[in-house]
């Protein structure tokens, strides 16, 4: 389609031809809002409130402690892990839903350190979402200086791997730029040097096909509250390849990871399966809602999700670059859709007030310091006409200098 014919009607026609469009109906979004922040907190599935009500009133209120068995609370981390596994290219028994991404990363990095006792270095991406690097630094500190963290940028990672590398722990899709790392190539490079490959899937799970098994990944972690729509603070997931299960202790040896949790033995004996990565009692209310989001994903085809995601982000880039030309936006994501996750970032010196003005106009994206405005596109509930309307509102804000108003200069705690 040429630019002359690209108008709102053309976008509506794309929506009409979109096989995923009916899934929009399974989400509740405020009227008039264009939600481009599903990469930070996914939208609420319509079934979430009813499910929460049922867990609170029936499972908890009426059945009380019996629900650990009768409602399957105790097995929920493993059952949801098995349900999530196909979206990650993992086998049954390789994924568990529990705790937070930060906590799960601590567990798998520590397991990796234990699996490579003769090696010293953990490699991470310096510009990654900082918690990953902070956690790795904590893991290293806990070894009393035996292990160190080396921070590299994307083009330096392959060369940094050597016979002293314990593991490479990279976020598959970069949180800020949206750059997609080559999971197969980095995993193969790490393993050729005898190192392990650990993947953070926070910005890929539910947004694009992931093939942990096909890439022979060792461990992975990720959250369920972004593209998987599990709800604020919903439990994360942890993948451990079958071959590593029962091979090394993760250090948070709580009773849910014990071989016989209800034997109440004085000494720790690990499970020899994925449950060795559990710690203790899980937030059942929050975890139950993960299933509502997962069920929508399982009704959709992941290749269709990826195809639509690439089309939405291509359209957004094209519209911003043409309709906001001269307003100082510089693309900060890969231009090639195949190298880009489901988000688009632009650098702009006045990114913060511009994003505030956009949010006030009902277009929800976010700002990442120092100068990045970031837009996530969840194909399950964002359409092509939404992209048109979002850019339309941006044009109004830029052409009318609306972002210069004093109320858009104030900083909130969470951006
Ligand atoms: C969102 C995100 C996290 C979140 O970690 P929490 O433990 O849930 O706070 C971690 N790492 C990356 C790369 C993320 O994108």
């Amino acid at each position: 389609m040429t630019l002359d014919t690209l108008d709102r009607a053309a976008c509506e026609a794309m929506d009409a031809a979109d096989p995923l469009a009916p899934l929009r109906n399974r989400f509740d979004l405020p009227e008039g809002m264009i939600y481009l922040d599903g990469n930070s907190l996914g939208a609420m599935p319509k079934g979430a409130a009813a499910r929460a009500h049922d867990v609170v009133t029936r499972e908890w209120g009426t059945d009380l402690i019996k629900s650990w068995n009768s409602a399957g609370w105790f097995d929920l981390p493993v059952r949801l892990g098995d349900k999530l596994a196909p979206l990650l290219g993992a086998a049954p028994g390789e994924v568990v839903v529990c705790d937070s991404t930060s906590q799960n990363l601590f567990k798998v990095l520590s397991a990796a350190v234990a699996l490579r006792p003769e090696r010293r270095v953990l490699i991470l991406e310096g510009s990654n979402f900082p918690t990953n690097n902070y956690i790795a630094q904590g893991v290293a500190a806990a070894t009393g200086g035996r292990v160190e963290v080396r921070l590299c940028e994307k083009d330096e990672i392959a060369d940094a791997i050597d016979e002293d590398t314990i593991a490479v722990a990279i976020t598959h899709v970069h949180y800020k730029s949206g750059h997609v790392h080559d999971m197969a190539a980095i995993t193969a490079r790490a393993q050729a040097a005898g190192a392990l490959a650990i993947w953070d899937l926070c910005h890929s799970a539910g947004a694009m096909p992931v093939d942990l098994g096909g890439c022979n990944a060792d461990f992975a972690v990720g959250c369920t509250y972004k593209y998987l729509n599990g709800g604020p603070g919903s439990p994360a997931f942890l993948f451990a390849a079958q071959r590593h299960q029962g091979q090394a202790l993760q250090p948070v040896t709580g009773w849910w990871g014990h071989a016989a949790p209800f034997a109440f033995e004085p000494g720790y004996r690990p499970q020899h399966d994925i449950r060795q990565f559990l710690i203790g009692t899980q937030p059942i209310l929050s975890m139950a809602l993960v299933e509502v989001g997962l069920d929508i994903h399982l009704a959709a085809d992941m290749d269709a999700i990826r195809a639509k995601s690439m089309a939405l982000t291509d359209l957004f880039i094209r519209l911003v670059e043409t309709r906001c030309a001269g307003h100082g936006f510089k693309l900060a994501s890969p231009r090639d859709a195949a190298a880009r996750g489901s988000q688009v970032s632009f650098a702009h010196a006045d990114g913060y007030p511009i994003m505030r003005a956009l949010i006030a106009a009902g277009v929800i994206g976010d700002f990442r310091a120092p100068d990045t405005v970031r837009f996530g596109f969840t194909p399950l509930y964002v359409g092509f006409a939404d992209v048109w309307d979002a850019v339309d509102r941006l044009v109004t804000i830029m052409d009318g200098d609306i972002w210069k108003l004093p109320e858009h200069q104030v900083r909130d705690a969470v951006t």
Side-chain angles (χ1 to χ4, degrees):
M1 197 169 299
T2 69
L3 203 59
D4 309 336
T5 57
L6 186 53
D7 54 13
R8 194 174 197 283
C11 294
E12 285 166 14
M14 289 188 247
D15 283 332
D18 169 19
L20 297 175
L23 291 171
R24 166 73 181 77
N25 260 328
R26 296 187 58 175
F27 293 90
D28 249 337
L29 280 164
E31 191 63 36
M33 179 191 285
I34 302 171
Y35 192 66
L36 304 181
D37 219 353
N39 52 329
S40 206
L41 174 65
M44 184 179 75
K46 275 186 183 156
R51 182 75 188 106
H53 187 261
D54 188 46
V55 177
V56 172
T57 58
R58 185 179 58 83
E59 295 184 2
W60 179 21
T62 305
D63 295 345
L64 284 155
I65 200 160
K66 290 182 289 180
S67 284
W68 284 107
N69 292 309
S70 62
W73 286 353
F74 192 65
D75 294 328
L76 204 50
V78 172
R79 188 170 68 75
L80 291 183
D82 284 344
K83 215 162 170 174
L84 172 59
L87 296 181
L88 310 179
E94 289 189 316
V95 181
V96 70
V97 173
C98 62
D99 305 324
S100 72
T101 300
S102 301
Q103 290 163 331
N104 288 339
L105 192 63
F106 181 82
K107 291 181 252 178
V108 299
L109 284 170
S110 300
V113 168
L115 286 167
R116 294 288 181 273
E118 72 292 357
R119 294 176 174 229
R120 289 189 319 108
V121 180
L122 293 168
I123 296 176
L124 285 91
E125 191 175 15
S127 61
N128 188 16
F129 190 75
T131 198
N132 299 46
N133 301 337
Y134 300 162
I135 292 285
Q137 287 158 13
V139 168
T143 66
R146 179 177 84 73
V147 169
E148 66 181 70
V149 176
R150 188 172 307 159
L151 299 179
C152 301
E153 288 314 312
K154 66 176 158 55
D155 299 329
E156 305 162 345
I157 292 167
D159 287 342
I161 299 169
D162 62 22
E163 61 290 342
D164 212 14
T165 307
I166 296 164
V168 182
I170 305 290
T171 300
H172 182 212
V173 174
H174 194 280
Y175 82 104
K176 208 167 172 185
S177 71
H179 173 86
V180 184
H181 282 284
D182 186 337
M183 184 183 286
I186 294 176
T187 300
R189 173 75 190 88
Q191 292 172 349
L196 298 163
I198 299 173
W199 290 96
D200 180 323
L201 304 176
C202 278
H203 293 276
S204 16
M208 59 198 292
V210 174
D211 193 5
L212 290 171
C215 294
N216 198 40
D218 293 291
F219 296 100
V221 299
C223 62
T224 64
Y225 55 74
K226 292 172 181 162
Y227 291 100
L228 290 170
N229 309 298
S234 58
F237 61 84
L238 183 156
F239 159 89
Q242 188 72 52
R243 62 186 177 279
H244 295 309
Q245 296 177 16
Q247 299 303 306
L249 275 188
Q250 57 89 3
V252 200
T253 47
W255 70 301
W256 279 42
H258 192 281
F262 288 93
F264 298 115
E265 296 170 6
Y268 185 77
R269 284 191 296 127
Q271 295 272 10
H272 284 284
D273 59 30
I274 192 69
R275 290 172 296 173
Q276 77 166 110
F277 290 95
L278 291 171
I279 299 174
T281 308
Q282 291 298 309
I284 297 300
L285 242 181
S286 187
M287 184 162 324
L289 300 191
V290 170
E291 188 160 23
V292 184
L294 265 183
D295 282 338
I296 302 176
H297 277 272
L298 294 171
D301 171 42
M302 193 48 81
D303 290 326
I305 289 177
R306 178 62 175 153
K308 181 176 173 188
S309 152
M310 298 201 304
L312 288 169
T313 51
D314 271 342
L315 176 67
F316 183 72
I317 292 171
R318 193 163 143 194
L319 288 175
V320 170
E321 289 188 339
T322 51
R323 301 193 62 210
C324 295
H327 280 305
F329 290 98
K330 190 170 172 301
L331 184 64
S333 295
R335 190 169 291 282
D336 172 14
R340 190 172 69 224
S342 206
Q343 67 179 68
V344 175
S345 295
F346 282 97
H348 193 293
D350 299 302
Y352 188 79
I354 290 169
M355 184 51 76
R356 279 193 71 109
L358 266 174
I359 292 170
V363 179
I364 315 293
D366 59 27
F367 173 78
R368 289 292 173 262
D371 65 353
T372 303
V373 286
R374 194 176 70 148
F375 303 87
F377 297 83
T378 304
L380 295 178
Y381 52 77
V382 175
F384 295 95
D386 294 325
V387 173
W388 178 271
D389 293 344
V391 177
D392 222 39
R393 294 183 203 176
L394 180 61
V395 169
T396 304
I397 286 165
M398 299 312 296
D399 286 353
D401 281 343
I402 291 168
W403 63 272
K404 291 183 180 165
L405 295 174
E407 69 254 39
H408 299 318
Q409 318 304 314
V410 187
R411 297 252 166 178
D412 286 331
V414 176
T415 59

